[in-house]
Amino acid sequence: MDDTLVERVRQIMQTSGLNQTDFAELIATSPDRLSKSLSGTRKFTTTELALAAQSAGTTVEWLLTGQHKATPAIAARTALAAAPSHDQISDLVSRFSTASEQLQMLADPPRAIAPLPNLAATTMYIDQADRLATDALSMVRDRGMDSTASLDLPALLEEVFSVDVAIVSLPGGLDGCAWQTELDRLIVLDRTSNWARQRFSLAHELGHILAGDAQTLIAEAVPPHSSQMSEKRANSFAASFLMPADEVRKMAQNLGDPAHFAALVNHFRVSPTSMAWRLVNLGLLTSSSVSKWQSVTAESCALTAGRPQLISSERARSEASRIPPRLLNEHLEHFYNGATSARPLAALLEMSSHDVIDLLRPVAIQK
């Protein structure tokens, strides 16, 4: 065990004025277990560290590293008509960032985080977006995935880019939030029936993370048009990432045929307007043709192409709450191994510790 961690726990115990027996009771452990942890032969559990930090008015991050945890600070990226409070968004993000922090503490060896592409050294946001998309798609294809079109995009982001993706009910008309530190990458999306918009929002937020924009928490209604370079870059990245130029060019034929255009929309799972503008930017469609698609929805395109099952499958995914599986599965593993209590799982699941224990208790089989 790290000597500095033990030293900081000893410092808290000394400052508290409690003897070892009373301090053990304070952090919900036994004197014997505390003695073993202080001697370095046993690891502190997350609950013990959390209670020790709470008793001293500090954080687990300070106990582990001597530094205080980065707190999500909201960036004023987009002016919302009914902006939710900073506390609302910060609390929501902290639910997942705290779970990630606890896993960093428990992991041995430390949890790996994927390297990200470098942002091109140019002032042209389109060039930066195209380069980021090219590099990101290369990372995807290196994993044996030929296209992002038909894939479970949240799962892909977690596997390839180490981005935890949650889907919850967001306040105030937000489409999504993004936040990153050296050890955490998080995107939180709003539950919605508009699956094409949610998918674009997810790619948009990934663009912020790959560009390093999300070191302050971005909470936004994803803007179709914006004067801010970071928003233009994120939108351009999303279009290039979701609709790769080589794939679009290969498939784009008979664009005057509504059925063929609908097939493109269905394949890439984007809105007709996004598809039309991508074709314009690739020189495959005139800008005057965009207006005819602005009142058409992704779902009507699915019906035109005779694919109603696409609507039901995509709605089921976009409307459902989603806890990042990586966070949930690793916390479950540590709980079953006895490395942590039910409290971290309870906080992640927004349940009481007693309910979590009841849920995970083995069922007795009646003979």
Side-chain angles (χ1 to χ4, degrees):
M1 184 178 297
D2 189 346
D3 288 342
T4 55
L5 168 59
V6 173
E7 290 169 4
R8 283 188 278 271
V9 173
R10 287 187 182 278
Q11 180 182 334
I12 287 177
M13 186 168 65
Q14 182 179 5
T15 303
S16 72
L18 299 175
N19 60 36
Q20 193 159 313
T21 299
D22 291 339
F23 188 75
E25 182 179 356
L26 178 69
I27 65 171
T29 191
S30 68
D32 179 60
R33 288 197 292 268
L34 176 58
S35 179
K36 289 179 180 178
S37 296
L38 291 174
S39 68
T41 60
R42 172 187 176 270
K43 286 187 175 182
F44 286 102
T45 68
T46 54
T47 298
E48 291 164 359
L49 290 176
L51 291 174
Q54 181 180 336
S55 72
T58 187
T59 64
V60 172
E61 178 78 6
W62 177 82
L63 281 173
L64 293 170
T65 67
Q67 300 177 352
H68 290 286
K69 177 185 175 182
T71 301
I74 297 172
R77 302 282 176 160
T78 305
L80 299 174
S85 73
H86 287 200
D87 287 345
Q88 275 183 293
I89 304 171
S90 294
D91 288 348
L92 188 151
V93 171
S94 292
R95 172 187 170 192
F96 302 105
S97 63
T98 297
S100 178
E101 175 196 6
Q102 290 163 335
L103 289 177
Q104 294 291 350
M105 176 182 67
L106 291 165
D108 187 16
R111 301 168 79 230
I113 188 166
L116 296 182
N118 293 320
L119 188 64
T122 173
T123 57
M124 299 293 293
Y125 77 86
I126 293 180
D127 292 341
Q128 289 182 329
D130 286 346
R131 175 66 180 273
L132 278 179
T134 297
D135 291 345
L137 288 167
S138 178
M139 292 174 67
V140 171
R141 289 162 180 167
D142 285 346
R143 298 294 185 97
M145 298 173 250
D146 293 333
S147 171
T148 60
S150 60
L151 296 175
D152 179 347
L153 206 55
L156 181 147
L157 266 58
E158 288 167 342
E159 178 181 347
V160 178
F161 305 105
S162 300
V163 177
D164 290 315
V165 180
I167 302 177
V168 300
S169 295
L170 289 177
L174 291 176
D175 288 318
C177 305
W179 189 54
Q180 66 191 129
T181 69
E182 290 184 359
L183 299 176
D184 291 321
R185 295 168 191 157
L186 174 66
I187 293 174
V188 183
L189 298 173
D190 186 36
R191 294 173 57 198
T192 176
S193 61
N194 192 339
W195 42 271
R197 182 178 178 89
Q198 186 192 79
R199 189 175 175 86
F200 194 89
S201 296
L202 178 54
H204 176 100
E205 301 300 349
L206 175 63
H208 280 309
I209 287 178
L210 297 187
D213 293 338
Q215 293 174 8
T216 49
L217 174 63
I218 302 170
E220 61 187 350
V222 173
H225 307 288
S226 174
S227 60
Q228 296 185 50
M229 190 184 82
S230 61
E231 296 300 333
K232 290 181 178 180
R233 180 171 59 208
N235 274 338
S236 184
F237 167 84
S240 298
F241 183 70
L242 294 177
M243 298 167 279
D246 55 347
E247 199 171 343
V248 172
R249 288 194 173 99
K250 183 177 179 180
M251 295 184 64
Q253 301 172 7
N254 301 322
L255 292 178
D257 181 355
H260 182 78
F261 184 88
L264 282 178
V265 170
N266 295 336
H267 176 78
F268 291 105
R269 288 163 168 74
V270 294
S271 71
T273 301
S274 294
M275 189 74 252
W277 277 116
R278 182 62 170 152
L279 292 168
V280 169
N281 291 329
L282 291 176
L284 300 173
L285 200 67
T286 62
S287 57
S288 60
S289 303
V290 174
S291 59
K292 67 184 287 188
W293 300 111
Q294 289 177 336
S295 60
V296 181
T297 67
E299 295 197 344
S300 64
C301 285
L303 293 175
T304 297
R307 297 185 62 186
Q309 72 281 2
L310 178 64
I311 299 174
S312 58
S313 63
E314 291 300 315
R315 276 202 175 197
R317 182 180 297 170
S318 66
E319 292 179 340
S321 294
R322 184 182 195 273
I323 296 174
R326 186 178 67 123
L327 295 185
L328 180 58
N329 292 338
E330 291 186 33
H331 270 291
L332 280 168
E333 180 181 350
H334 289 303
F335 174 76
Y336 282 126
N337 290 340
T340 183
S341 72
R343 287 190 179 191
L345 262 176
L348 179 60
L349 294 170
E350 293 190 315
M351 299 171 63
S352 72
S353 296
H354 293 301
D355 287 344
V356 168
I357 292 170
D358 286 343
L359 181 67
L360 300 178
R361 181 181 290 123
V363 177
I365 300 177
Q366 300 294 328
K367 294 185 178 181

